């Protein structure tokens, strides 16, 4: 449990990398409900270190006060992948700032240990279900002082990325502490970017059956 609730500080715009300080280069303009691309470059020699696709989505951009952020990162040298979920209010601040205190409490073996978070995902194509409900292996972490949920299990990531590339939408259910959030993730544009963000690290085409799935409903 303590390992699952590990506390990690991520720095996005200025990240320390093995070859020096890094910077993020945005390739696509900032929009809501559509996927954007970015690269992380080494400041010392402009070497590309990482490729990122990310989205900020709202259930209703005209009225919603909640934004759901999904970010997929691929490290070019190691082909390590991560998928990150974050929930903010209309000002860009975490919707659940008290999560930070709970995560920190979980670092102390004498403190209360909280249940591990869950992310449930089901994908659709033109309204028709194309996958079972996938129960992803998730960790609590902290990014720039805000709590996030991170999927780093590589088998989980390969499975969910295949589903994302095949679908048009996904329904995401986030369960952390006593909070539950559900949102629809638009997948239009995601598959078109796949050749770009997997250029250096192609996905293994071999399906894995080792991860649990919840029967479709």
């Amino acid at each position: 449990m303590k390992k699952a609730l590990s506390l990690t500080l991520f720095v996005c715009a200025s990240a320390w990398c093995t070859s020096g300080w890094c910077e993020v280069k945005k390739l696509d303009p900032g929009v809501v409900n559509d996927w954007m691309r970015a690269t992380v470059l080494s400041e010392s020699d402009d070497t590309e270190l990482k490729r990122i696709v990310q989205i900020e989505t709202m259930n209703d951009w005209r009225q919603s006060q909640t934004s759901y952020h999904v970010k997929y990162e691929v490290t070019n040298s190691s082909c390590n992948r991560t998928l990150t979920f974050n929930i903010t209010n209309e000002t860009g601040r975490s919707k659940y700032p008290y999560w930070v205190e709970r995560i920190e409490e979980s670092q102390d073996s004498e403190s209360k240990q909280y249940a591990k978070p869950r992310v449930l995902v089901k994908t659709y194509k033109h309204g028709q279900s194309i996958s079972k409900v996938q129960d992803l292996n998730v960790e609590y972490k902290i990014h720039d002082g805000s709590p996030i949920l991170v999927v780093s299990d590589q088998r989980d990531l390969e499975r969910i990325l295949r589903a994302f590339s095949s679908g048009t939408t996904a329904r995401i259910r986030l369960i952390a502490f006593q909070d539950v959030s559900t949102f629809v993730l638009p997948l239009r544009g995601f598959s078109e970017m796949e050749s770009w963000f997997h250029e250096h690290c192609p996905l293994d085409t071999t399906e894995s059956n080792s991860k649990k799935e919840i029967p479709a409903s």
Side-chain angles (χ1 to χ4, degrees):
M1 176 62 67
K2 188 172 182 180
K3 182 178 180 181
L5 298 176
S6 60
L7 177 63
T8 304
L9 179 62
F10 285 91
V11 182
C12 181
S14 298
W16 177 257
C17 303
T18 56
S19 59
W21 290 92
C22 303
E23 62 179 355
V24 173
K25 177 181 179 182
K26 295 182 179 179
L27 303 180
D28 294 327
V31 294
V32 175
N33 294 344
D34 203 358
W35 292 90
M36 299 181 295
R37 300 177 300 164
T39 57
V40 176
L41 306 176
S42 168
E43 193 174 66
S44 60
D45 57 7
D46 275 348
T47 300
E48 183 182 284
L49 304 175
K50 184 182 295 187
R51 291 193 173 185
I52 301 169
V53 291
Q54 56 192 334
I55 188 171
E56 175 187 1
T57 184
M58 297 179 180
N59 290 331
D60 183 347
W61 63 269
R62 296 165 299 180
Q63 300 181 25
S64 179
Q65 296 182 347
T66 301
S67 293
Y68 300 94
H69 304 263
V70 180
K71 179 168 66 173
Y72 172 57
E73 303 181 48
V74 185
T75 301
N76 292 351
S77 59
S78 65
C79 289
N80 186 66
R81 315 171 197 272
T82 58
L83 184 65
T84 302
F85 298 89
N86 185 24
I87 309 173
T88 66
N89 60 21
E90 66 274 19
T91 66
R93 296 186 178 183
S94 175
K95 185 177 179 180
Y96 303 114
Y98 79 91
W99 283 9
V100 174
E101 181 179 351
R102 297 288 179 86
I103 294 171
E104 291 174 341
E105 288 175 354
S106 296
Q107 306 309 300
D108 186 347
S109 60
E110 297 181 359
S111 297
K112 178 179 179 181
Q113 297 298 299
Y114 295 97
K116 187 176 179 181
R118 300 178 73 189
V119 172
L120 307 178
V121 182
K122 185 176 178 63
T123 51
Y124 301 82
K125 187 171 185 177
H126 304 304
Q128 299 297 315
S129 171
I130 61 171
S131 77
K132 297 180 180 179
V133 180
Q134 299 192 51
D135 186 2
L136 304 181
N137 186 20
V138 186
E139 295 179 331
Y140 293 113
K141 293 187 180 180
I142 292 179
H143 170 69
D144 287 350
S146 297
I148 59 176
L149 303 178
V150 179
V151 182
S152 55
D153 184 288
Q154 301 301 293
R155 291 174 298 179
D156 264 3
L157 285 167
E158 289 182 3
R159 291 167 69 90
I160 201 64
L161 289 168
R162 291 191 193 97
F164 280 5
S165 295
S166 301
T168 54
T169 59
R171 184 166 293 277
I172 313 290
R173 183 175 174 86
L174 308 178
I175 305 169
F177 303 111
Q178 72 265 35
D179 301 303
V180 179
S181 297
T182 302
F183 67 99
V184 174
L185 177 67
L187 297 175
R188 178 180 57 85
F190 185 86
S191 61
E192 286 82 352
M193 293 183 181
E194 185 172 11
S195 61
W196 176 79
F197 58 72
H198 286 154
E199 179 182 355
H200 303 293
C201 301
L203 278 181
D204 184 357
T205 57
T206 303
E207 289 286 353
S208 170
N209 296 316
S210 60
K211 183 59 187 169
K212 61 183 178 296
E213 292 183 343
I214 297 176
S217 58

